[in-house]
Amino acid sequence: MVSKPSLFFYTTAHVFSSIIKRSSFYHQRQLFYYRTSISDGLLSEALFEMANQGLDVKFKEYDTLLNECIKQRAIIEGQRVHAHMVKTHYQPPVYLRTRLIVFYIKCGLLGDARWVFDEMPERNVVSWTALISGYSQKGHVFEAIHLFVQMFRSGTTPNEFTFATVLTSCTGAFGFHFGRQIHCLLVKSPFESHVYVGSSLLDMYAKAGKVHDARCVFESLPERDVVSCTAIISGYAQQGLDKEALDLFRKLQAEEMSSNYVTYTTVLTALSGLAAVEQGRQLHAHIIRLELPFYAVLQNSLIDMYSKCGKFTYSRTIFNQMSERTVSSWNAMLVGYSKHGMGKEVVELFEMMREENKIKPDGITLLAVLSGCSHGGMEEKGVEIFNDISTGKDRVEVSIEHYGCVVDLLSRAGQVERAFQFIKEMPFQPTAAILGSLLGACWAHLYVDIGEIVANQLLEIEPDNAGTYVILSNMYASAGRWEDARRVRELINGRAMVKESGKSWIGTDLIHETEKDIAKHNGISS
């Protein structure tokens, strides 16, 4: 005979059921309050409620708060959430600890992210990948690679995102050597043909100058997306293989490859290197017809392409129409003017940049201005700008290239003694290029004594450079020192040195102009 449950059992069960229901309702209500406050933009109120709840804060509330702190990059608020976990002795699961790592990385606090990671009692592949990504984004190549090795030794199996992330850190001699080893691991894994991993792998080879290897990876991908296609085109362009980059773009276009603004930016870089203005105009018209958004990076590439081709009406119109300019926008125009010897325009645009006072000049800006002044016969203005920008309020970190530009500027102006003194006072050892520039000026303006000193210094750096001997011999001949000229020529013949001949090329397969769309868009008569 089965006995009936007692009244006490029913009463106790009812009480516990009511408590559980009330507790569940309470937490649901609090979670709703958190989400409502955050959706209304009241993160501070949600944090105040967190403090009031104390020990009653659970996983979902912490998750909601942390996600909003990550979204807003709210450093102090996120630190308060973390501090509340510590004070209440809450032991967050792996997921929440990983969200803390992501939060600190997003806020630029990589040291705090590493502390959270080191304190984790257990980690998963997402935790490892998040921290590797943080180091990689900050350019800490060695740390990212070392962390990947630790992960591998810990027994955690990398996934496709881990491989794709660590491959972005495989730059430089050390990084590339390690990247080859990762490629060997990928061959044994199921991720070698993954599109994200493949894109990172071919990008690694391309940046290392191994374009052939990058192309092999690209051809082996079972699927290609816009990222992988853009990466391989960019690889060719970065190595100066502009024609190959353009040919590949045309081939992929024929295969109905999808393109975005980054793809077109890369192709414009290749066209700029080829000075292929006709093809550049066609591509510009194509971009207009597609109604792609004109991001600053795309506009900068258009400015660079037109400027290098000498089409300043187009480049300046695009520059003037930009709603927001970056330092690269200014540099593209300045470099264009500079390469065409338009010193006056370079100085005017540089002064406009400083008056606008929205973007600070950088090292490329200074190089462009100095080069423009050099080719435009404005040596005093160039020296004035160099002195001002290397010590003034818009101070730029000056490198050996900037000093070389000043030497070239003074040498072209015939101020050989001043250039020679400037080299003596430089905080750097002069390079062969700098000494070669001054030696050429010594020959052109017959400063034989200085020329002999410079030639001797140059020959210490490049003892087998036939060009130095030729210039020295020609300088002696111009000064009527025939015996010295003959002696130098005998040295050239005795060492069997040959000066390399200059070369030039010109394209013959130009495409017909198609400017109507551009002219209509920019308001320029074609």
Side-chain angles (χ1 to χ4, degrees), residues 199-218:
S199 297
S200 296
L201 194 59
L202 71 88
D203 187 57
M204 178 199 75
Y205 280 117
K207 286 179 178 175
K210 309 292 184 181
V211 184
H212 177 72
D213 292 327
R215 184 65 178 267
C216 289
V217 172
F218 178 76

Side-chain angles (χ1 to χ4, degrees), residues 216-249:
C216 289
V217 172
F218 178 76
E219 296 294 347
S220 67
L221 289 175
E223 290 183 33
R224 299 167 185 168
D225 63 355
V226 64
V227 177
S228 56
C229 292
T230 303
I232 187 63
I233 295 170
S234 176
Y236 279 112
Q238 287 171 5
Q239 296 302 315
L241 302 171
D242 301 313
K243 186 178 183 302
E244 289 80 356
L246 191 57
D247 289 342
L248 180 59
F249 172 72

Side-chain angles (χ1 to χ4, degrees), residues 56 59 118 249 298 306 333 335-336 351 361 425 452 460 513:
D56 292 326
F59 171 86
D118 289 339
F249 172 72
L298 180 57
Y306 281 123
M333 278 303 312
V335 169
E351 295 298 338
E425 296 172 356
E452 286 179 317
E460 288 180 8
E513 297 184 42

Side-chain angles (χ1 to χ4, degrees), residues 27-239:
H27 284 301
Q28 289 294 331
R29 187 186 65 172
Q30 292 303 326
L31 183 59
F32 174 77
Y33 181 83
Y34 276 100
R35 289 173 175 167
T36 303
S37 297
I38 288 173
S39 64
D40 292 338
L42 303 175
L43 180 57
S44 58
E45 288 194 13
L47 290 171
F48 181 75
E49 180 63 22
M50 175 191 72
N52 281 339
Q53 286 189 41
L55 295 172
D56 292 326
V57 183
K58 303 299 180 186
F59 171 86
K60 289 185 178 179
E61 289 89 342
Y62 281 129
D63 186 35
T64 302
L65 285 168
L66 275 177
N67 285 332
E68 189 60 26
C69 291
I70 292 170
K71 180 181 176 182
Q72 296 186 21
R73 306 288 198 274
I75 298 177
I76 296 175
E77 291 81 357
Q79 288 174 329
R80 284 178 61 186
V81 176
H82 190 188
H84 191 272
M85 291 180 181
V86 175
K87 289 178 182 177
T88 57
H89 301 286
Y90 177 76
Q91 296 298 319
V94 175
Y95 171 82
L96 279 184
R97 292 180 191 268
T98 302
R99 297 306 290 165
L100 280 169
I101 291 172
V102 172
F103 160 72
Y104 282 122
I105 288 171
K106 293 284 186 184
C107 294
L109 302 173
L110 193 54
D112 293 325
R114 184 58 189 259
W115 182 84
V116 173
F117 179 83
D118 289 339
E119 292 296 312
M120 292 179 75
E122 59 177 311
R123 302 155 184 158
N124 59 19
V125 64
V126 182
S127 314
W128 286 96
T129 303
L131 192 59
I132 291 170
S133 176
Y135 280 120
S136 181
Q137 290 169 15
K138 292 294 182 181
H140 300 310
V141 173
F142 180 81
E143 289 82 355
I145 292 174
H146 181 63
L147 198 63
F148 177 81
V149 173
Q150 285 183 297
M151 173 189 179
F152 208 76
R153 288 174 177 169
S154 73
T156 306
T157 304
N159 60 20
E160 64 270 28
F161 301 106
T162 316
F163 281 117
T165 300
V166 74
L167 282 169
T168 61
S169 295
C170 295
T171 56
F174 168 76
F176 178 70
H177 174 72
F178 190 78
R180 294 292 295 265
Q181 295 182 51
I182 293 178
H183 193 179
C184 293
L185 287 175
L186 285 168
V187 172
K188 303 173 187 177
S189 78
F191 306 121
E192 184 187 15
S193 59
H194 194 283
V195 66
Y196 296 147
V197 178
S199 297
S200 296
L201 194 59
L202 71 88
D203 187 57
M204 178 199 75
Y205 280 117
K207 286 179 178 175
K210 309 292 184 181
V211 184
H212 177 72
D213 292 327
R215 184 65 178 267
C216 289
V217 172
F218 178 76
E219 296 294 347
S220 67
L221 289 175
E223 290 183 33
R224 299 167 185 168
D225 63 355
V226 64
V227 177
S228 56
C229 292
T230 303
I232 187 63
I233 295 170
S234 176
Y236 279 112
Q238 287 171 5
Q239 296 302 315

Side-chain angles (χ1 to χ4, degrees), residues 10 19 97 99 118 148 191 420 424 434 450 459 497:
Y10 280 115
I19 291 172
R97 292 180 191 268
R99 297 306 290 165
D118 289 339
F148 177 81
F191 306 121
F420 185 54
K424 287 182 177 180
I434 291 175
I450 294 176
L459 289 172
M497 291 186 291

